[in-house]
Amino acid sequence: MTESKESTVRLLITCPDQPGIVAAVSGYLHKKNANIIHSDQHSTDPEGGRFFMRNEFFLPGLDMDGLEELRREFREEVTNGFVMDWSLNPVWKPKKMVILCSKVDHALMELLWRWKRGDLEADISMVISNHQDLRESVEHFVPFHYVPVGPSLRDKVTAEDTMIDLMGDVDLIVLARYMQILTPDFVNRFTCRIINIHHSFLPAFVGADPYRRAHQRGVKLIGATAHYITEQLDEGPIIEQDVIRVTHSHDVDDLKRLGGDIERHVLARAVKWHLEDRVIVDGNKTIVFRR
Amino acid sequence: MTESKESTVRLLITCPDQPGIVAAVSGYLHKKNANIIHSDQHSTDPEGGRFFMRNEFFLPGLDMDGLEELRREFREEVTNGFVMDWSLNPVWKPKKMVILCSKVDHALMELLWRWKRGDLEADISMVISNHQDLRESVEHFVPFHYVPVGPSLRDKVTAEDTMIDLMGDVDLIVLARYMQILTPDFVNRFTCRIINIHHSFLPAFVGADPYRRAHQRGVKLIGATAHYITEQLDEGPIIEQDVIRVTHSHDVDDLKRLGGDIERHVLARAVKWHLEDRVIVDGNKTIVFRR
Amino acid sequence: MTESKESTVRLLITCPDQPGIVAAVSGYLHKKNANIIHSDQHSTDPEGGRFFMRNEFFLPGLDMDGLEELRREFREEVTNGFVMDWSLNPVWKPKKMVILCSKVDHALMELLWRWKRGDLEADISMVISNHQDLRESVEHFVPFHYVPVGPSLRDKVTAEDTMIDLMGDVDLIVLARYMQILTPDFVNRFTCRIINIHHSFLPAFVGADPYRRAHQRGVKLIGATAHYITEQLDEGPIIEQDVIRVTHSHDVDDLKRLGGDIERHVLARAVKWHLEDRVIVDGNKTIVFRR
Amino acid sequence: MTESKESTVRLLITCPDQPGIVAAVSGYLHKKNANIIHSDQHSTDPEGGRFFMRNEFFLPGLDMDGLEELRREFREEVTNGFVMDWSLNPVWKPKKMVILCSKVDHALMELLWRWKRGDLEADISMVISNHQDLRESVEHFVPFHYVPVGPSLRDKVTAEDTMIDLMGDVDLIVLARYMQILTPDFVNRFTCRIINIHHSFLPAFVGADPYRRAHQRGVKLIGATAHYITEQLDEGPIIEQDVIRVTHSHDVDDLKRLGGDIERHVLARAVKWHLEDRVIVDGNKTIVFRR
């Protein structure tokens, strides 16, 4: 569906499942004369489970003031009686996104290239790296900031503070093969707003150097995993995964090259879905309302 | 979701898209205290398009009499004002299904084997074939009927009449590599209730001997297509397709063998989805509410 | 290539890589007027690595006596000067194969069904199970033997001795979801001749109940792994792996059902390749000469 | 295998199959003390078929003069008695490649980006387009030439002559969504040296606007095909194909976007294989010695 983004809003809901949620929401939207474009829902269990909903609708003429009014009204008229996490997100206002990277460019360039083609609904204000290597490639698209990270924890905290200042308000931070471990403070500041690409099919080969270990183990498929970052490294909610077939004739460098293509696409899909409000976190898992 | 089938109903709706459909349906279901287990919807265009909905819900204690009452009430209270095709299908009453086959067994055996494991919600009353070859394999599972088809059109009509008598009431006819072309009369009697497996990735290699032609063309993937039968051979609404990679080293027999595995799975998925009321026909296309 | 099996032989070679191997082998085969049908080779490193070769050729009129003579001559004329593991396997004499299973039938039935269709070059003499559940399904194809396994190690050894007696000479033992851990003695007796299907994408979810753990982790793909059994559980050389996409809407039972289809195919491919002499073990890895 | 490119040569052979080819070739290479890195072969039929071989080997110290000598010697000592098409290609001398494009950038950028990363063994001297749109994107990597094509056949011939002058000696021309039909003269001048990406899974949707027609037909997978250009449009030897799953919820623009990703990868793989001498044309088919 190629719909206009003007006046279009996405409603996300998470709450304990109970009868009447859909009736309340759709009744309200009908009363407002909203035109529903897409609607998805999921219940982990109709009795005692959790309920998730994504609605995309448009209201002709809706602007930011109107959206504020809609939020107020929705809170009063619909959410009453439900213990509901919800948001109403304007499609015409793309999310603010920053990309962090180190020396390897494939995942980064895929994002920038897709963004330039209009395939990612984001406002990418900058790329930050702890190395200078990718400056030239990046500046063809967006500003590049070099924030080196020293060896001590104090250095790391200083670097993260610099990054926080640089980024300002940000809705999504994407780690496109950023090879620094972030502090728990940084991670918790951006809960469910940092997406990482891990170069293995998690939970296989958690940790460092997964392609070498995949080669040693003699696996017949290698993969990549996009997930939200939590304090537990490589343990956050998985958004997307994919694999590619390999054979005995591929050495470690081949696996890195082939795996790189999977990383590019897995990360691009996960970022696209997040930007389109298709991902809802449920504990350590995700609900992904794909098409 | 492993839900009880008792008291569970599936509601399918097709109608011109217009505001208020979801509100009307969900408002009614809420009033009835129905517990919605799954809900999917699709609109080809919110303005002037067509709207499709699948709802799975349960009403404790609902039996066939209650369902009749529900249908009556739904018609009066909900469908008014909408030009709506709809059905309320009891999950506890599996669809009546008959399989037609000829000499090749792989697609047939996959269906029977999955059915025996409880993976297909059907009441398979019989298998009918125009050859005796598969009698023994079939009778291990269900009754087998031999209905030969002579060379003339008159013979074909006679054979089809015999099959119609044998089948009685039937909700779904599956052509598991049945190598006879059905008459338009037969096809139209069972509109959107005959599923065929075509041994190519349609619309490539429409017609006879697709594997040989795929080999001659030197394609690098071969496939299979499950579709509803219409008067136009190989042109009916596609339900499911899949492919497998082949190389220069595979000859025509290899393609048949590899393609056979794809046929098995494509047909089994299409039949399963039909039985679970996941497929809605929209002109010459299908809406498939997969999970 | 659909070739006649009569007079056809497969030559497998493993040795340290060094110049002249191919020249020596192909020179000898040319001298014998052998008609080479397929030839594959692999070197882990042309300098100091290991070399692997698979040759399929036919010699008109070759029978078992002629093969013995060929083996003698090949040893004398070709293998001299190389530290070579090699075998010459008659294609017209299928390998002796036994399947072990417990209560779950999908992987077992896939093997029996493919074998009956002529897709597996094996002489399946029997199925052995530690439960009676699958007797009827099996006896439709081959003899079934019930060998229960008691709780103590002594019981296990007794059961394995019974199985060894029943099986007699055997080239390949397939564990089609056989839920007993074999003793090291048993495993070592049949080195590289026991293939197991593990119901996860190893090394993810090593150990018990992988589907439940996959569901808890929220992975977006599930898989299966066919591997040779070694003393280290789930750590033996991997022959084949595959995956299927799952979503948040699939519960543990769905994963078992979907995963079962992957298990069937992964195991069937691994067994087929072993029977066709396509798999060579290299330490804890496999070389698989697929087409 | 990451091997040094210096002194490394690839030998390609096509000839009627007959005993002794491998013995002659491997005997010669052994005599020369060549170190064989990879070897692949294929026979369409050992009796009366055609034989194809690809050998990658290195000879320490081999330079262009030595290669000329090797070619002379190989012709005299090996090819005698066989009706053999063959070539000895120096790996250290990348093929000269030119890309033609029009307005759409995705396939083009994928090639340039992979080339810049060192993933394509080519000397890309220029990009030629019949539109100015992509000049800036291209000039970041290589020179860009604008060669407009007027409406008449005479205009087309003039434009092709201009392109031939610009390109000079060229080993491979890649049509990265170049939207002009080439004249038979141009096509025949570069037999088996022009690779095109067709935005459908051929032979489905031969001709124009395949995504729109795929949408109308309601297919469940869309694909792309890389093939050599012949006088018969869309009918040349297929090198590579791939597909992606789509659903009822994707409109034509979605298909274009999703298909674009498949086009990128299918074309990149086909070009990479051609550059690495992995593709041999056999009539209207290809032998592809993938790893």
Side-chain angles (χ1 to χ4, degrees):
Chain A
M1 192 64 47
T2 312
E3 61 272 351
S4 167
K5 289 174 180 175
E6 289 169 42
S7 312
T8 304
V9 176
R10 298 195 193 105
L11 168 64
L12 295 186
I13 292 173
T14 304
C15 66
D17 201 356
Q18 70 181 85
I21 306 169
V22 179
V25 171
S26 59
Y28 174 74
L29 291 178
H30 181 44
K31 196 190 80 178
K32 301 296 292 183
N33 288 315
N35 209 336
I36 297 174
I37 304 164
H38 297 293
S39 176
D40 291 287
Q41 55 198 75
H42 172 65
S43 170
T44 60
D45 189 342
E47 301 192 61
R50 293 182 68 70
F51 177 81
F52 305 87
M53 188 178 209
R54 178 188 186 272
N55 251 291
E56 191 168 323
F57 60 88
F58 71 88
L59 271 172
L62 190 74
D63 56 11
M64 287 306 290
D65 287 346
L67 180 60
E68 268 317 305
E69 173 64 16
L70 194 75
R71 282 170 175 151
R72 197 189 49 70
E73 205 179 271
F74 186 85
R75 183 180 301 111
E76 283 173 13
E77 298 191 17
V78 181
T79 67
N80 235 344
F82 304 104
V83 185
M84 202 181 266
D85 286 335
W86 62 276
S87 62
L88 278 162
N89 306 321
V91 173
W92 65 87
K93 191 159 167 283
K95 291 183 169 52
K96 290 192 182 174
M97 169 173 155
V98 169
I99 307 174
L100 273 52
C101 64
S102 291
K103 292 180 169 182
V104 173
D105 71 341
H106 58 278
L108 169 70
M109 295 311 290
E110 181 77 21
L111 293 175
L112 290 176
W113 180 85
R114 283 184 186 270
W115 172 71
K116 194 186 168 197
R117 299 195 79 213
D119 195 25
L120 295 181
E121 297 178 2
D123 171 9
I124 303 184
S125 53
M126 71 188 71
V127 168
I128 301 175
S129 178
N130 59 330
H131 294 278
Q132 291 277 23
D133 307 51
L134 301 178
R135 177 181 290 278
E136 195 199 334
S137 297
V138 168
E139 288 183 338
H140 194 58
F141 296 90
V142 294
F144 176 92
H145 295 283
Y146 170 51
V147 180
V149 183
S152 74
L153 178 57
R154 177 174 297 226
D155 293 335
K156 189 187 287 281
V157 169
T158 305
E160 289 184 351
D161 285 346
T162 304
M163 292 200 288
I164 289 168
D165 284 348
L166 280 169
M167 295 190 293
D169 266 355
V170 64
D171 296 304
L172 177 63
I173 299 170
V174 179
L175 311 185
R177 301 293 305 271
Y178 181 66
M179 303 308 277
Q180 290 285 330
I181 294 173
L182 299 165
T183 65
D185 274 2
F186 188 94
V187 168
N188 291 327
R189 186 186 187 107
F190 300 101
T191 304
C192 296
R193 284 188 289 155
I194 310 178
I195 294 179
N196 181 50
I197 181 71
H198 190 273
H199 40 316
S200 91
F201 179 76
L202 292 175
F205 308 117
V206 164
D209 221 355
Y211 290 126
R212 185 164 305 277
R213 289 150 65 210
H215 187 255
Q216 282 167 353
R217 182 61 187 92
V219 293
K220 300 299 185 186
L221 297 168
I222 57 168
T225 305
H227 63 99
Y228 289 111
I229 286 282
T230 61
E231 285 193 48
Q232 278 68 44
L233 279 181
D234 302 343
E235 300 286 342
I238 293 171
I239 305 168
E240 172 64 341
Q241 305 188 286
D242 212 342
V243 295
I244 192 171
R245 190 164 284 279
V246 295
T247 76
H248 57 264
S249 75
H250 294 108
D251 64 13
V252 176
D253 284 339
D254 293 326
L255 299 196
K256 284 181 185 170
R257 183 175 54 76
L258 291 167
D261 283 343
I262 301 298
E263 294 169 36
R264 289 162 66 191
H265 289 280
V266 165
L267 181 60
R269 286 202 293 267
V271 167
K272 182 176 173 65
W273 294 339
H274 178 99
L275 293 170
E276 295 176 354
D277 297 306
R278 295 183 179 281
V279 189
I280 306 180
V281 172
D282 176 30
N284 201 43
K285 299 186 192 184
T286 59
I287 314 300
V288 182
F289 291 121
R290 300 181 62 169
R291 286 195 298 172
Chain B
M1 191 67 46
T2 312
E3 60 273 352
S4 167
K5 289 174 180 174
E6 288 170 41
S7 313
T8 303
V9 176
R10 297 194 193 108
L11 168 63
L12 296 187
I13 292 173
T14 304
C15 65
D17 201 357
Q18 69 181 86
I21 306 169
V22 179
V25 171
S26 59
Y28 174 74
L29 292 178
H30 182 44
K31 196 190 80 178
K32 301 297 293 184
N33 287 316
N35 210 336
I36 297 174
I37 303 163
H38 297 295
S39 176
D40 290 288
Q41 55 197 76
H42 172 65
S43 172
T44 60
D45 189 342
E47 301 191 62
R50 291 182 69 71
F51 176 82
F52 305 88
M53 188 177 207
R54 178 188 186 271
N55 250 291
E56 191 168 326
F57 61 87
F58 71 89
L59 273 171
L62 190 74
D63 56 11
M64 286 307 287
D65 289 345
L67 179 61
E68 269 315 306
E69 173 66 15
L70 195 75
R71 283 169 174 154
R72 197 187 52 71
E73 204 179 272
F74 186 85
R75 183 180 302 110
E76 285 172 13
E77 298 192 17
V78 181
T79 67
N80 236 341
F82 303 104
V83 184
M84 201 181 265
D85 285 336
W86 62 275
S87 63
L88 278 162
N89 306 322
V91 173
W92 66 87
K93 189 158 166 286
K95 291 184 170 50
K96 289 192 182 174
M97 170 174 155
V98 169
I99 307 174
L100 272 53
C101 63
S102 292
K103 292 180 167 180
V104 172
D105 70 343
H106 58 277
L108 168 71
M109 295 311 289
E110 180 77 21
L111 291 175
L112 291 176
W113 179 85
R114 282 184 186 270
W115 172 71
K116 195 186 168 196
R117 298 195 80 215
D119 194 26
L120 295 180
E121 297 178 3
D123 171 10
I124 302 183
S125 54
M126 70 188 72
V127 169
I128 301 175
S129 179
N130 59 329
H131 293 278
Q132 290 278 24
D133 307 51
L134 302 178
R135 176 181 290 278
E136 195 198 333
S137 297
V138 167
E139 287 183 339
H140 195 57
F141 296 91
V142 294
F144 176 93
H145 295 282
Y146 170 52
V147 180
V149 183
S152 73
L153 178 58
R154 179 175 294 227
D155 293 335
K156 191 188 285 283
V157 169
T158 306
E160 289 185 352
D161 286 345
T162 306
M163 293 200 287
I164 288 168
D165 284 348
L166 278 169
M167 294 190 294
D169 268 353
V170 64
D171 297 304
L172 177 64
I173 299 170
V174 179
L175 310 185
R177 300 293 304 269
Y178 181 66
M179 304 309 275
Q180 290 284 329
I181 295 174
L182 299 166
T183 65
D185 274 1
F186 189 94
V187 168
N188 291 326
R189 187 187 186 106
F190 301 101
T191 304
C192 295
R193 286 188 287 155
I194 311 179
I195 295 178
N196 182 50
I197 181 72
H198 190 272
H199 41 317
S200 91
F201 179 76
L202 291 176
F205 308 118
V206 165
D209 221 354
Y211 291 127
R212 185 165 305 276
R213 288 151 65 209
H215 187 255
Q216 282 167 353
R217 181 63 187 91
V219 294
K220 300 300 184 184
L221 299 167
I222 56 168
T225 305
H227 62 100
Y228 289 111
I229 287 280
T230 61
E231 285 193 47
Q232 278 68 44
L233 278 180
D234 302 345
E235 300 287 341
I238 293 171
I239 305 169
E240 171 66 338
Q241 304 186 287
D242 213 343
V243 295
I244 191 171
R245 190 165 284 279
V246 295
T247 76
H248 57 265
S249 75
H250 294 107
D251 63 14
V252 176
D253 284 340
D254 293 327
L255 299 197
K256 284 181 186 170
R257 184 176 53 77
L258 290 167
D261 283 343
I262 300 297
E263 293 168 37
R264 287 161 67 190
H265 289 280
V266 165
L267 181 61
R269 287 202 293 266
V271 168
K272 182 176 173 66
W273 294 339
H274 179 99
L275 293 170
E276 295 175 356
D277 298 307
R278 295 183 180 279
V279 189
I280 305 181
V281 172
D282 176 31
N284 202 43
K285 300 186 190 182
T286 60
I287 314 300
V288 182
F289 290 122
R290 301 180 62 169
R291 287 195 297 172
Chain C
M1 191 66 47
T2 312
E3 61 272 351
S4 166
K5 290 174 179 176
E6 287 168 43
S7 313
T8 303
V9 176
R10 297 196 193 106
L11 168 63
L12 295 187
I13 291 174
T14 304
C15 66
D17 201 356
Q18 70 181 85
I21 306 168
V22 179
V25 171
S26 59
Y28 173 74
L29 292 178
H30 181 44
K31 196 190 79 178
K32 300 297 290 183
N33 287 316
N35 210 336
I36 297 174
I37 303 163
H38 297 293
S39 176
D40 290 288
Q41 54 197 76
H42 172 65
S43 172
T44 59
D45 188 344
E47 302 191 63
R50 292 182 69 71
F51 176 82
F52 305 87
M53 189 177 206
R54 177 187 187 271
N55 251 290
E56 191 167 325
F57 60 89
F58 71 88
L59 273 172
L62 190 74
D63 57 10
M64 285 309 288
D65 288 345
L67 180 60
E68 268 316 306
E69 173 65 15
L70 194 76
R71 283 170 175 153
R72 197 190 49 71
E73 206 179 270
F74 186 86
R75 183 181 300 110
E76 284 172 12
E77 299 191 17
V78 181
T79 67
N80 236 343
F82 303 104
V83 185
M84 202 181 265
D85 285 336
W86 61 275
S87 62
L88 278 161
N89 306 322
V91 172
W92 66 86
K93 190 159 167 286
K95 291 183 169 53
K96 290 192 181 173
M97 170 173 153
V98 169
I99 307 174
L100 272 54
C101 64
S102 292
K103 292 181 167 180
V104 172
D105 70 343
H106 58 277
L108 168 71
M109 295 311 289
E110 180 77 21
L111 292 174
L112 291 175
W113 180 84
R114 283 184 185 270
W115 172 71
K116 195 187 169 197
R117 298 195 79 213
D119 194 27
L120 296 180
E121 296 179 2
D123 171 9
I124 303 183
S125 54
M126 70 189 71
V127 168
I128 301 176
S129 177
N130 59 329
H131 293 278
Q132 291 276 25
D133 306 52
L134 302 177
R135 177 180 290 277
E136 195 199 334
S137 296
V138 167
E139 289 184 337
H140 194 57
F141 297 90
V142 296
F144 176 93
H145 294 282
Y146 170 51
V147 180
V149 183
S152 74
L153 179 58
R154 177 173 297 225
D155 293 335
K156 188 186 288 281
V157 169
T158 305
E160 289 183 352
D161 286 346
T162 305
M163 292 199 288
I164 288 167
D165 285 347
L166 279 168
M167 294 190 293
D169 267 354
V170 64
D171 297 303
L172 177 63
I173 300 169
V174 179
L175 311 185
R177 301 292 304 271
Y178 181 65
M179 303 308 277
Q180 289 284 329
I181 295 173
L182 299 165
T183 66
D185 274 2
F186 188 94
V187 168
N188 292 327
R189 186 186 187 106
F190 300 101
T191 304
C192 296
R193 286 189 287 155
I194 311 178
I195 295 179
N196 181 49
I197 181 71
H198 191 272
H199 40 318
S200 89
F201 180 76
L202 291 175
F205 308 118
V206 164
D209 220 355
Y211 290 127
R212 185 165 303 280
R213 288 151 64 211
H215 187 254
Q216 282 167 354
R217 182 62 186 91
V219 294
K220 300 300 184 184
L221 298 167
I222 57 168
T225 304
H227 62 100
Y228 289 111
I229 286 281
T230 61
E231 284 193 48
Q232 278 67 44
L233 277 181
D234 302 344
E235 301 286 341
I238 293 171
I239 305 168
E240 172 64 340
Q241 305 188 284
D242 212 342
V243 295
I244 191 171
R245 191 165 283 279
V246 294
T247 75
H248 57 264
S249 75
H250 294 108
D251 64 14
V252 176
D253 284 339
D254 293 326
L255 299 196
K256 284 181 185 169
R257 183 175 53 77
L258 290 166
D261 284 343
I262 300 298
E263 294 168 37
R264 289 161 65 190
H265 289 279
V266 165
L267 181 60
R269 287 202 292 266
V271 168
K272 181 175 174 66
W273 295 338
H274 179 99
L275 294 170
E276 295 176 356
D277 297 307
R278 296 184 179 279
V279 189
I280 306 181
V281 172
D282 175 31
N284 202 42
K285 299 186 194 183
T286 60
I287 314 299
V288 182
F289 290 122
R290 301 179 63 168
R291 287 196 297 171
Chain D
M1 191 65 48
T2 311
E3 60 272 352
S4 168
K5 290 174 181 177
E6 291 168 41
S7 312
T8 303
V9 177
R10 297 195 193 107
L11 169 63
L12 296 187
I13 291 173
T14 304
C15 66
D17 201 357
Q18 69 182 86
I21 306 168
V22 179
V25 171
S26 59
Y28 174 74
L29 291 178
H30 182 43
K31 197 190 79 177
K32 300 297 292 183
N33 288 316
N35 210 337
I36 296 174
I37 303 163
H38 298 293
S39 177
D40 291 287
Q41 55 197 76
H42 172 66
S43 172
T44 59
D45 188 343
E47 301 192 62
R50 294 182 67 71
F51 177 82
F52 305 87
M53 187 177 209
R54 179 188 186 270
N55 250 292
E56 191 168 325
F57 60 89
F58 71 89
L59 272 172
L62 190 74
D63 56 11
M64 287 307 289
D65 288 345
L67 181 59
E68 269 316 304
E69 174 65 15
L70 194 76
R71 283 169 175 155
R72 198 189 49 72
E73 206 179 88
F74 186 85
R75 183 179 302 111
E76 284 172 12
E77 299 192 17
V78 181
T79 67
N80 237 342
F82 302 104
V83 185
M84 200 180 266
D85 284 335
W86 61 276
S87 63
L88 278 162
N89 306 321
V91 173
W92 66 86
K93 191 160 166 286
K95 290 183 170 52
K96 289 191 182 173
M97 169 173 155
V98 170
I99 308 174
L100 271 54
C101 64
S102 292
K103 292 181 168 181
V104 171
D105 70 343
H106 59 277
L108 168 71
M109 296 311 291
E110 181 77 21
L111 292 175
L112 291 176
W113 180 84
R114 282 184 185 269
W115 173 70
K116 195 186 168 196
R117 299 195 80 213
D119 195 25
L120 296 181
E121 296 179 3
D123 171 9
I124 302 182
S125 54
M126 70 188 71
V127 168
I128 301 176
S129 178
N130 59 330
H131 293 279
Q132 290 277 25
D133 307 50
L134 302 177
R135 177 181 290 278
E136 195 199 333
S137 296
V138 168
E139 288 184 338
H140 194 57
F141 296 91
V142 294
F144 176 93
H145 295 284
Y146 170 51
V147 181
V149 183
S152 73
L153 179 58
R154 178 174 296 224
D155 294 335
K156 191 187 284 282
V157 170
T158 305
E160 289 184 352
D161 285 346
T162 305
M163 292 199 288
I164 288 168
D165 284 348
L166 279 170
M167 294 190 293
D169 267 356
V170 64
D171 297 304
L172 177 63
I173 300 170
V174 179
L175 311 186
R177 299 296 303 272
Y178 181 66
M179 304 308 276
Q180 290 285 329
I181 294 173
L182 299 166
T183 66
D185 274 3
F186 189 95
V187 168
N188 291 326
R189 186 185 186 108
F190 301 101
T191 304
C192 296
R193 285 189 287 155
I194 311 179
I195 296 178
N196 182 50
I197 181 72
H198 190 274
H199 41 314
S200 90
F201 179 77
L202 291 176
F205 308 117
V206 165
D209 221 355
Y211 291 127
R212 185 165 304 276
R213 288 150 66 209
H215 187 256
Q216 281 167 354
R217 182 62 187 93
V219 295
K220 300 301 185 184
L221 298 167
I222 57 169
T225 304
H227 62 100
Y228 289 111
I229 287 280
T230 62
E231 285 193 46
Q232 278 67 45
L233 280 180
D234 303 345
E235 300 286 342
I238 293 172
I239 306 168
E240 171 66 340
Q241 304 187 285
D242 212 343
V243 295
I244 190 170
R245 190 164 284 279
V246 294
T247 76
H248 58 266
S249 75
H250 294 106
D251 64 14
V252 176
D253 285 338
D254 293 326
L255 300 196
K256 285 182 185 169
R257 184 175 53 77
L258 290 166
D261 284 343
I262 300 298
E263 294 169 37
R264 289 161 66 190
H265 288 281
V266 165
L267 181 61
R269 287 202 293 266
V271 168
K272 181 176 174 67
W273 295 338
H274 179 99
L275 294 170
E276 295 175 355
D277 297 307
R278 295 184 179 281
V279 188
I280 305 181
V281 172
D282 176 29
N284 201 42
K285 300 187 191 182
T286 61
I287 314 301
V288 182
F289 290 122
R290 301 179 63 168
R291 287 195 295 173

